[in-house]
């Protein structure tokens, strides 16, 4: 049975160097499979999109004599999965990656690193071509996919739809805050050790699980009257929601997640758990608040608004969670030829929704046990406004995910 060779690349502005490495890879076996990096993967690595869309780059590679099969590479961490899927005997990369994949592919296939063609690269070509011609006419930003990884450089979020001036201002302000947190926390995540004494103590998943456990002290603080602490812990959870994304990005950048990759860790699962944890913590804390509230015949209108707003958010979060659950498993078990991805990552509206939920719930916590008391009504009114904004942005987030499903079905 003949040997199968697999290779990976972006192949942006296809040039002679690309052609030579494909030709040399083909000479090493009887069947050549090529993985073309997706637009989103390139953005996660370089904070910019390729000049040529992924569909066009795949078409160019597919047309080359000697290429037997082409697929879309959506994660660097899945190279072992791709090699197994296509029964690769040899994995070929340029020597600028020398030794990088030896560990994760040991026992799966042989790794060979071929010399790069000198004096030619896509980056060099881009510098020599007018930016206006290259980036304005062919910019993938017109149809850019949802970001699938956090980035400390450039924009980390995209918008699901257009809004009026007020909502657009809120979204842009939160985007700026989100970028600030990413930049501010990256140095800390860079120096914080992943293991101490051989024990793993600092990963994105550990941060996610840790903030999930905060639901217990938050509920206890609400129950026993430590309302300021309850409010603080709710906002601390909101901050940790940002931090786990920074940790995941930094560990992927500096290679500290290589142990997880070798064990078959699924990065998309981490992002999925992160998103679901937000919903679990918020809903359990809000449910605790509703259970601890006093309900009597005074200020029935105010109490009714609080309950109705809470029920609306329960329904929306449950629906979004179900959609996200289905999208994750649909993407996980999609056939290799399926290049369309559902919206697995949150957009600006989704992140801003979480911020309004956290602030609204933190304000509500200060009103226990009776939100109808005159001295706490300011907190009730402010919290309700925040949760109403959360309802609106929850709806926008849900619509975005459903639109992505519709586009995938076409």
């Amino acid at each position: 049975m003949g040997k199968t060779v697999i290779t990976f690349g972006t192949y942006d502005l296809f040039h002679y160097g690309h052609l030579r490495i494909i030709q040399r890879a083909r000479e090493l076996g009887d069947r050549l499979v090529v993985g073309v990096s997706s637009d989103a993967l390139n953005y996660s690595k370089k904070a910019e999109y390729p000049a040529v869309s992924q569909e066009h780059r795949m078409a160019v590679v597919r047309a080359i004599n000697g290429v037997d099969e082409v697929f879309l590479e959506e994660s660097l961490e899945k190279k072992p999965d791709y090699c197994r899927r296509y029964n690769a005997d040899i994995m070929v990369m340029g020597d600028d990656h020398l030794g990088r994949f030896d560990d994760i592919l040991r026992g799966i296939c042989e790794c060979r690193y071929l010399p790069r063609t000198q004096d030619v690269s896509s980056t060099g070509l881009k510098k020599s071509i007018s930016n206006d011609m290259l980036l304005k006419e062919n910019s993938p930003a017109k149809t850019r996919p949802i970001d699938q990884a956090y980035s400390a450089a450039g924009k980390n979020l995209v918008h699901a739809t257009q809004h009026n001036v007020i909502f657009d201002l809120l979204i842009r302000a939160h985007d700026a805050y989100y970028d600030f947190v990413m930049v501010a926390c990256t140095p800390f995540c860079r120096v914080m050790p992943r293991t101490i004494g051989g024990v793993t103590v600092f990963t994105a998943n550990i941060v996610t699980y840790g903030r999930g456990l905060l639901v217990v002290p938050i509920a206890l603080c609400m129950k026993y009257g430590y309302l300021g602490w309850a409010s603080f812990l709710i906002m601390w959870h909101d901050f940790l929601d940002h931090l786990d994304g920074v940790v995941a990005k930094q560990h992927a950048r500096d290679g500290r997640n290589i142990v997880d990759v070798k064990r078959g860790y699924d990065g998309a699962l981490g992002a999925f758990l992160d998103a679901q944890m937000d919903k679990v913590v918020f809903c359990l804390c809000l449910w605790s608040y509703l259970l601890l509230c006093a309900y009597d015949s005074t200020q029935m209108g105010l109490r009714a608004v609080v309950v109705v707003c809470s029920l609306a958010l329960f329904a929306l979060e449950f629906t979004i969670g179900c959609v996200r659950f289905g999208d994750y498993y649909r993407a996980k078990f999609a056939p290799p030829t399926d290049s369309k991805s559902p919206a697995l990552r949150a957009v600006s509206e989704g992140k801003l929704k979480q911020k309004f939920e956290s602030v609204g719930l933190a304000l509500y916590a200060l009103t226990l046990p009776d939100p109808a008391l005159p001295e706490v009504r300011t907190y009730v009114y402010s919290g309700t406004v925040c949760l109403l904004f959360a309802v609106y942005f929850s709806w926008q987030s849900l619509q975005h995910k459903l639109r992505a499903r519709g586009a995938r079905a076409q």
Side-chain angles (χ1 to χ4, degrees):
M1 188 174 181
K3 285 188 176 181
T4 295
V5 180
I6 191 169
T7 188
F8 301 85
T10 302
Y11 307 108
D12 195 22
L13 299 185
F14 196 91
H15 54 70
Y16 179 68
H18 294 147
L19 179 62
R20 285 294 300 131
I21 197 167
I22 288 177
Q23 289 175 335
R24 286 180 289 167
R26 185 65 176 82
E27 292 170 357
L28 297 175
D30 305 289
R31 173 173 172 257
L32 178 61
V33 179
V34 181
V36 176
S37 301
S38 70
D39 292 340
L41 175 57
N42 278 275
Y43 185 83
S44 72
K45 293 189 298 182
K46 303 178 181 179
E48 65 178 10
Y49 288 99
V52 181
S53 71
Q54 61 191 33
E55 291 82 8
H56 291 177
R57 289 184 285 115
M58 290 178 71
V60 170
V61 174
R62 191 177 288 115
I64 297 172
N65 186 36
V67 173
D68 297 290
E69 192 164 353
V70 177
F71 69 94
L72 193 66
E73 180 191 16
E74 298 183 284
S75 171
L76 294 176
E77 299 173 356
K78 291 185 177 180
K79 273 189 169 54
D81 295 336
Y82 294 133
C83 290
R84 291 191 190 96
R85 183 182 299 172
Y86 293 100
N87 299 313
D89 300 291
I90 302 173
M91 193 280 298
V92 171
M93 294 292 289
D95 60 3
D96 50 327
H97 297 286
L98 185 64
R100 180 178 178 183
F101 303 106
D102 291 352
D103 288 339
I104 64 173
L105 294 179
R106 185 171 288 116
I108 299 174
C109 65
E110 177 187 353
C111 296
R112 294 198 189 181
Y113 303 93
L114 304 182
R116 289 174 58 90
T117 304
Q118 297 298 312
D119 302 324
V120 61
S121 69
S122 296
T123 301
L125 290 173
K126 288 179 182 179
K127 290 180 179 179
S128 65
I129 299 175
S130 166
N131 284 337
D132 285 341
M133 292 177 61
L134 178 65
L135 298 178
K136 289 185 179 179
E137 294 182 9
N138 299 299
S139 174
K142 298 174 183 177
T143 55
R144 76 184 197 175
I146 298 302
D147 295 348
Q148 296 181 4
Y150 296 100
S151 171
K155 290 188 69 61
N156 297 299
L157 297 168
V158 293
H159 299 172
T161 188
Q162 292 184 339
H163 302 275
N164 62 36
V165 175
I166 295 177
F167 288 146
D168 185 66
L169 181 62
L170 287 171
I171 291 173
R172 293 184 183 281
H174 182 263
D175 286 355
Y177 162 76
Y178 194 80
D179 289 340
F180 170 76
V181 171
M182 294 290 292
V183 172
C185 292
T186 294
F188 166 77
C189 296
R190 186 181 296 124
V191 301
M192 180 69 180
R194 177 186 173 90
T195 60
I196 297 178
V199 179
T200 302
V201 296
F202 189 61
T203 66
N205 281 355
I206 287 176
V207 176
T208 298
Y209 299 141
R211 65 185 177 87
L213 294 175
L214 284 176
V215 70
V216 176
I218 290 172
L220 290 175
C221 286
M222 287 183 182
K223 180 177 177 62
Y224 293 106
Y226 298 99
L227 305 183
W229 277 106
S231 184
F232 168 77
L233 289 175
I234 290 168
M235 296 311 300
W236 179 244
H237 168 270
D238 182 79
F239 169 75
L240 292 179
D241 176 37
H242 294 311
L243 182 64
D244 56 15
V246 185
V247 175
K249 182 65 177 178
Q250 185 57 41
H251 284 191
R253 279 178 169 175
D254 59 26
R256 278 187 284 174
N257 65 342
I258 191 68
V259 175
D260 293 334
V261 174
K262 290 172 68 175
R263 293 174 179 172
Y265 170 70
D266 182 3
L269 176 61
F272 169 72
L273 293 175
D274 172 31
Q276 298 296 60
M277 188 65 74
D278 302 331
K279 295 163 180 54
V280 171
V281 171
F282 171 73
C283 290
L284 288 177
C285 289
L286 184 57
W287 181 249
S288 300
Y289 170 80
L290 293 176
L291 289 178
L292 295 169
C293 273
Y295 297 95
D296 55 39
S297 59
T298 61
Q299 295 292 324
M300 291 299 293
L302 178 61
R303 298 177 196 276
V305 170
V306 170
V307 172
V308 170
C309 186
S310 300
L311 292 177
L313 282 171
F314 282 139
L316 284 166
E317 289 289 26
F318 178 78
T319 305
I320 293 172
C322 290
V323 171
R324 201 178 256 279
F325 184 88
D327 284 347
Y328 168 73
Y329 281 99
R330 185 177 291 107
K332 183 176 179 63
F333 297 107
T337 55
D338 190 351
S339 62
K340 295 182 179 179
S341 296
L344 295 177
R345 298 307 304 262
V347 287
S348 293
E349 289 81 351
K351 288 296 182 182
L352 183 55
K353 174 263 297 182
Q354 291 170 210
K355 182 66 66 183
F356 275 122
E357 286 178 342
S358 297
V359 174
L361 185 56
L363 290 169
Y364 269 13
L366 298 173
T367 70
L368 288 170
D370 190 351
L373 293 176
E375 57 267 29
V376 297
R377 284 183 192 169
T378 300
Y379 296 135
V380 177
Y381 295 147
S382 301
T384 301
V385 169
C386 288
L387 292 188
L388 288 173
F389 274 116
V391 169
Y392 171 79
F393 287 113
S394 293
W395 178 251
Q396 294 297 323
S397 179
L398 176 59
Q399 290 292 99
H400 163 70
K401 297 181 192 319
L402 294 177
R403 283 196 298 269
R405 276 193 170 190
R408 182 183 174 85
Q410 292 177 357

